[in-house]
Amino acid sequence: MRRQRLYPYAVATAAVFLAVASRALLPGSWWTGDRPPWELFTLSVILAAWTGGTRPGLFAMALSVAVGWWLFMVPHPSHQIATLAIFVLNGCLISLVCGSLRRNGKNAEAAREQSGDLNLRESEERFRHAANSSPVLIRMSDASGGSTWFNQSWLEFTGRPMEQETGHRWLEGVHPEDRQQYTTSHKQHWDNHEPFEMDYRLKRHDGVYRWIMDRGIPLPGEEGPFPGFISSCVDINERKEAEDSREGLLKIEQTARLEAERTVALKDEFLATVSHEMRTPLTAMLGWVQLLRNGSLPADTVPQALETIERNARVQAKLIEDLLDVSRILSGRLRLDLQHLNPIDMVMAAITAAEPAAAAKHIRLTRSFDSKVGLVSGDTDRLQQIVWNLLSNAIKFSPSGGEVTISVWPINNRVEISVSDTGEGIDPDFLPYVFDRFRQKDASTRRKYHGLGLGLSIVKQLVELHGGSVRAESQGPGQGATFVVALPRVAEAPNQPAEKPAAFPGTASTDESLPSLLGTKILVVDDDSDAREILRSILAHNGASVRTASTAQEALTQLETRRPDILVSDIGMPGQDGYELIRSIRALDPKDGGRTPAVALTAFTSSEDRRRAIGAGFQIHLSKPIEAAELVTVVASLVTR
């Protein structure tokens, strides 16, 4: 401050001595009595007064008088007094005028600064008022990066006062999963002094996190330190949820499309497998039949041919039965005849049926039962099918000389039936898909084991229909596999009748003492000529007198001319089907055959089909293909009845 006050006087002094120096350069010498350089001194006064005001101007004038008197007026002062007085008068006027002008300039500048500050304050007030009225969340940050101000919408959104938001404390409301990402991105844009835009979740006053889109731009400012950012934030939660919903739907659609493509590929693969598995037994059957018809087959080879034809026919029947079971399960038409059963009886029946296959491969069947296992609620045929499928699978994949263990034990309120083998095991990658339909580990033409790969899928569906569960366990290839079926236990039922084991596909009846049908008149109705002929041959071979009809109308006509003792009819026939035929017969008078015992022999084999046939008037419902012994036994029982 002191230097600033002395600066104008230094300028005045320098100006005076500069005038003296300039006078020394003019023609003549000051020792000769020339007059003082009042013009140059006047310029010095003007310079001093303009630079420093009135006082420096007067100082320059006084210094000029002193120097001029001493250097130029001492020898001859009398005739220069008037000139000196004029100089002094002019110096005073110049100093006063320049000082006044300088003061007016300063006052005007101060007024301008004051007016600018006022305008700035008014502008800031207008901005804050507009920002507080805006629904957009606004915050401002300074050069340090900390937030210094938030508008009213922000404070209402977060439910926190300004004091708790300033600085970096507002980041407490950012979702923990988004906080680090925001901090890193914000710092990068801050360091580069460039606009930014980012989305994050901000906690609302009710504790709910909402998605916020934050846009920030640098504050305007002159050259100097970076002034900071102003950010505007918009609630985009609904838009974000819609985007997430669209992305979720897109992922679901992509997953569904991939699953559909995979299913189509599996079905194509499955159909190719079905074609192969159906054609293989047909090839053997047709080949042997052609040799038999040509008469070129040696007599000692005929039994082998017949055995091969029968075995392949049973294989084909099993394939068809599996396909029908899958169809019933998928369509929801599979019905269970539930009873309280001893699971050990079901397992023993399945073991009996599987023993021939095990003996052919020299596989030992080991049993481990708890006689106090209790009862389960189930369908006899379907429970035997479950166990038989698991046993067949174990025998199929076990090497010759291996071992299969069957266990039945109570576990808490459930009964567990486990089938373990020492076979090839299951690859861990395939284990989760072992019960899937249309899925085989190896479906190529070089596969070692044949079949449709439906057995385990059918097992899983049947077990779940019984309210149970099934799981597969394996340590990997070459380590064998274990399948465990868990069924709910039920309370003991008194006087529970023993269950008759069901016959399994691929097993022949061992009962060779069939009843005679000698003298029994039978009418066979079927639209397929081959089916009519084989039924006629089986029944006639056992002594029956058989007549055939290809339509329901033809059967009714024959019924009028010759009343049969037994009616064996197909269901699916053109024109009138088997249901209409039996209803027409039951509408007749008893003396006209209205009470003729009838057997429905059909490929419609579901529980619903069985109930419908019995309800229409048939006494018994049999499924195609039929065992000859079973057909003869059923017909004989109806004759006796």
Side-chain angles (χ1 to χ4, degrees):
M1 291 294 295
R2 185 177 181 184
R3 289 182 180 181
Q4 291 180 354
R5 288 196 299 269
L6 294 177
Y7 174 74
Y9 296 97
V11 171
T13 303
V16 171
F17 283 101
L18 181 63
V20 172
S22 299
R23 176 67 179 81
L25 297 176
L26 294 176
S29 171
W30 56 47
W31 305 113
T32 59
D34 291 337
R35 65 183 183 84
W38 302 118
E39 294 82 0
L40 296 177
F41 286 145
T42 301
L43 293 176
S44 299
V45 173
I46 293 172
L47 179 61
W50 184 260
T51 302
T54 302
R55 291 182 181 181
L58 293 175
F59 174 77
M61 182 196 68
L63 183 62
S64 297
V65 169
V67 171
W69 182 279
W70 180 55
L71 293 178
F72 302 106
M73 294 183 63
V74 172
H76 309 285
S78 57
H79 64 278
Q80 296 184 9
I81 294 299
T83 304
L84 175 62
I86 293 172
F87 171 74
V88 171
L89 180 61
N90 288 336
C92 291
L93 291 174
I94 290 171
S95 297
L96 292 173
V97 171
C98 288
S100 177
L101 291 175
R102 194 168 186 280
R103 283 193 301 274
N104 290 338
K106 285 185 176 181
N107 292 336
E109 182 178 354
R112 284 195 301 272
E113 290 180 356
Q114 184 178 5
S115 176
D117 291 342
L118 180 61
N119 291 336
L120 180 60
R121 286 195 296 272
E122 291 178 352
S123 177
E124 289 179 353
E125 288 297 327
R126 286 195 297 271
F127 165 76
R128 293 179 186 274
H129 178 73
N132 283 326
S133 302
S134 172
V136 178
L137 313 184
I138 300 175
R139 62 183 176 85
M140 296 179 63
S141 54
D142 58 13
S144 67
S147 297
T148 57
W149 183 82
F150 300 85
N151 73 338
Q152 191 63 31
S153 297
W154 180 289
L155 300 178
E156 291 175 355
F157 182 89
T158 60
R160 287 155 55 104
M162 185 79 71
E163 296 76 17
Q164 294 183 10
E165 295 286 88
T166 53
H168 296 284
R169 285 174 290 183
W170 71 274
L171 287 172
E172 297 171 1
V174 178
H175 197 285
E177 295 179 2
D178 304 335
R179 194 175 301 159
Q180 183 60 43
Q181 180 181 358
Y182 170 85
T183 303
T184 303
S185 178
H186 184 268
K187 184 178 185 306
Q188 178 181 354
H189 289 85
W190 184 278
D191 293 342
N192 296 329
H193 299 171
E194 60 184 12
F196 66 85
E197 178 178 321
M198 63 190 73
D199 299 343
Y200 54 85
R201 286 164 288 181
L202 185 66
K203 184 187 290 186
R204 200 168 57 184
H205 56 82
D206 56 1
V208 176
Y209 284 97
R210 305 278 293 181
W211 278 102
I212 297 295
M213 180 177 66
D214 190 343
R215 289 179 176 174
I217 58 173
L219 288 169
E222 302 296 335
E223 295 183 0
F226 180 57
F229 272 95
I230 180 170
S231 299
S232 60
C233 306
V234 180
D235 188 333
I236 58 168
N237 201 72
E238 283 73 17
R239 190 189 79 184
K240 201 76 173 179
E241 288 179 350
E243 291 176 356
D244 293 342
S245 177
R246 285 196 298 271
E247 291 178 0
L249 291 175
L250 179 60
K251 290 180 180 178
I252 292 174
E253 187 276 333
Q254 291 174 342
T255 302
R257 179 163 48 83
L258 292 174
E259 183 65 22
E261 292 174 354
R262 187 182 70 87
T263 301
V264 169
L266 288 174
K267 285 185 177 179
D268 291 343
E269 187 178 276
F270 172 72
L271 290 175
T273 302
V274 170
S275 175
H276 174 269
E277 294 299 322
M278 296 292 284
R279 290 174 184 272
T280 298
L282 280 175
T283 301
M285 293 163 63
L286 289 174
W288 284 109
V289 167
Q290 289 171 359
L291 291 176
L292 288 170
R293 291 189 63 186
N294 292 337
S296 59
L297 199 64
D300 58 346
T301 312
V302 171
Q304 178 187 355
L306 296 176
E307 180 185 352
T308 302
I309 293 172
E310 180 183 9
R311 183 174 64 254
N312 283 277
R314 295 183 186 280
V315 168
Q316 202 165 49
K318 178 63 171 62
L319 295 176
I320 294 172
E321 188 63 30
D322 283 349
L323 291 173
L324 291 176
D325 278 343
V326 171
S327 175
R328 295 186 195 105
I329 291 170
L330 292 178
S331 62
R333 292 186 291 108
L334 185 66
R335 299 291 184 268
L336 300 178
D337 182 14
L338 297 179
Q339 303 175 34
H340 287 188
L341 309 171
N342 187 334
I344 293 179
D345 294 338
M346 304 303 104
V347 172
M348 287 302 302
I351 291 175
T352 301
E355 280 177 345
K361 293 184 68 173
H362 305 288
I363 292 176
R364 187 170 69 258
L365 298 179
T366 304
R367 309 165 191 175
S368 176
F369 298 158
D370 185 343
S371 59
K372 298 180 181 179
V373 70
L375 302 179
V376 297
S377 177
D379 184 300
T380 304
D381 295 339
R382 294 305 180 181
L383 287 179
Q384 291 179 13
Q385 182 181 358
I386 290 170
V387 180
W388 184 80
N389 275 0
L390 293 178
L391 281 173
S392 298
N393 209 54
I395 293 170
K396 176 180 177 180
F397 289 98
S398 292
S400 180
E403 181 178 3
V404 174
T405 302
I406 310 97
S407 302
V408 183
W409 289 90
I411 305 294
N412 297 325
N413 61 341
R414 304 175 77 81
V415 174
E416 286 197 354
I417 304 171
S418 105
V419 178
S420 302
D421 62 65
T422 56
E424 297 193 359
I426 305 172
D427 192 294
D429 294 336
F430 186 70
L431 196 58
Y433 311 104
V434 73
F435 293 106
D436 286 3
R437 289 188 299 272
F438 314 127
R439 182 70 75 99
Q440 288 182 298
K441 176 62 177 176
D442 183 10
S444 67
T445 57
R446 296 175 293 177
R447 61 197 179 119
K448 180 178 179 182
Y449 300 101
H450 297 286
L452 300 180
L454 291 176
L456 292 178
S457 172
I458 294 173
V459 165
K460 182 175 185 293
Q461 297 293 331
L462 291 177
V463 169
E464 290 178 350
L465 285 175
H466 282 82
S469 62
V470 61
R471 67 181 185 272
E473 302 171 353
S474 178
Q475 297 299 318
Q479 301 297 315
T482 299
F483 290 86
V484 181
V485 173
L487 298 171
R489 297 174 70 188
V490 296
E492 294 284 345
N495 302 324
Q496 183 69 20
E499 297 296 332
K500 181 176 113 175
F504 288 84
T507 63
S509 173
T510 58
D511 188 358
E512 297 179 356
S513 57
L514 296 177
S516 173
L517 300 178
L518 187 63
T520 304
K521 292 178 291 184
I522 300 175
L523 175 59
V524 174
V525 187
D526 200 309
D527 62 311
D528 185 79
S529 58
D530 291 337
R532 290 197 307 272
E533 181 57 29
I534 189 62
L535 292 173
R536 189 200 64 78
S537 299
I538 292 172
L539 296 171
H541 181 71
N542 285 272
S545 174
V546 184
R547 299 179 72 178
T548 62
S550 60
T551 64
Q553 187 58 46
E554 184 181 346
L556 291 172
T557 301
Q558 292 202 31
L559 193 66
E560 295 176 358
T561 60
R562 178 191 171 191
R563 283 183 55 191
D565 298 317
I566 301 293
L567 172 70
V568 178
S569 176
D570 187 22
I571 294 295
M573 295 184 294
Q576 288 180 296
D577 60 14
Y579 298 126
E580 296 176 1
L581 171 61
I582 195 62
R583 291 192 190 102
S584 299
I585 293 175
R586 294 294 179 250
L588 297 174
D589 192 86
K591 62 183 178 58
D592 295 327
R595 294 185 178 178
T596 303
V599 178
L601 181 59
T602 174
F604 297 103
T605 59
S606 69
S607 300
E608 181 63 30
D609 295 324
R610 182 180 297 108
R611 283 193 291 270
R612 186 178 178 189
I614 301 301
F618 288 99
Q619 273 70 35
I620 294 180
H621 177 278
L622 296 178
S623 302
K624 291 182 179 180
I626 186 68
E627 293 281 349
E630 184 179 3
L631 176 61
V632 172
T633 302
V634 168
V635 171
S637 69
L638 286 179
V639 173
T640 303
R641 189 182 308 174

